[in-house]
Amino acid sequence: MLSKSLVIFIGVGLIAGFVFGVYLINVKSTSQLTYVEGSSISVVTEKSDFKKGEDIKIRIVNSGTTPLIFSDSSYGLRITGLSGILMYTPISTQVISNLEPGDDVEFLWDQIKNDGDSALEGLYKISAKGMDTEQNTVEKSTTITIWK
């Protein structure tokens, strides 16, 4: 017969595994590019799992039917940890940038943070933020994993 504490530990482990699995399914969404009617932006990477030190190609795509406006040449690109701490933003000039429907712009991140240190293993959120012609904020993000 199994002890009462062993049954409790197994039950808690099963429940925790299920909850964590559901959380990861929501966080690690693989459908990055969807075209829609109206204002929309998409952040696309060639894959979701990267080796430490590997260059990460990031495409920001206007996946809507209206032009998008950005306040600088970085197109609102930000890379943060899942806790929200800013890790990287590209160096940019303060010029108004436009992205027409269907157009995209590409960035390359060498996994070096703004402070000059290398990014550690873990989950990172890549997001882009702009405005449509009616001054509505348009934002999208994707999550990637950096492995050893």
Side-chain angles (χ1 to χ4, degrees):
M1 228 165 40
L2 297 175
S3 70
K4 190 187 265 186
S5 61
L6 180 61
V7 172
I8 290 172
F9 284 129
I10 290 173
V12 168
L14 288 172
I15 292 169
F18 176 75
V19 169
F20 189 64
V22 169
Y23 169 75
L24 283 180
I25 286 172
N26 290 334
V27 167
K28 293 205 46 113
S29 171
T30 56
S31 61
Q32 297 178 344
L33 183 58
T34 306
Y35 290 95
V36 298
E37 191 73 29
S39 300
S40 179
I41 190 171
S42 296
V43 179
V44 181
T45 57
E46 63 261 346
K47 54 187 178 179
S48 61
D49 297 319
F50 295 88
K51 292 181 181 174
K52 189 166 170 45
E54 180 180 2
D55 286 344
I56 299 173
K57 193 184 312 181
I58 303 162
R59 285 179 48 222
I60 298 173
V61 181
N62 182 343
S63 53
T65 56
T66 60
L68 298 177
I69 304 162
F70 301 88
S71 61
D72 59 26
S73 61
S74 73
Y75 291 83
L77 177 65
R78 294 172 46 93
I79 300 175
T80 63
L82 286 185
S83 61
I85 297 172
L86 181 64
M87 299 292 173
Y88 175 77
T89 54
I91 296 172
S92 63
T93 56
Q94 294 296 318
V95 297
I96 302 297
S97 301
N98 294 312
L99 205 54
E100 295 298 321
D103 286 351
D104 65 69
V105 64
E106 192 171 290
F107 292 91
L108 193 65
W109 183 41
D110 57 4
Q111 295 188 22
I112 302 297
K113 301 187 298 185
N114 283 345
D115 63 6
D117 292 338
S118 294
L120 300 174
E121 296 87 15
L123 291 169
Y124 291 87
K125 179 179 172 185
I126 303 172
S127 61
K129 182 178 179 181
M131 306 201 56
D132 64 12
T133 53
E134 297 173 2
Q135 302 300 313
N136 297 316
T137 300
V138 181
E139 185 173 10
K140 192 67 165 253
S141 65
T142 190
T143 306
I144 62 163
T145 305
I146 296 176
W147 298 96
K148 228 175 195 183

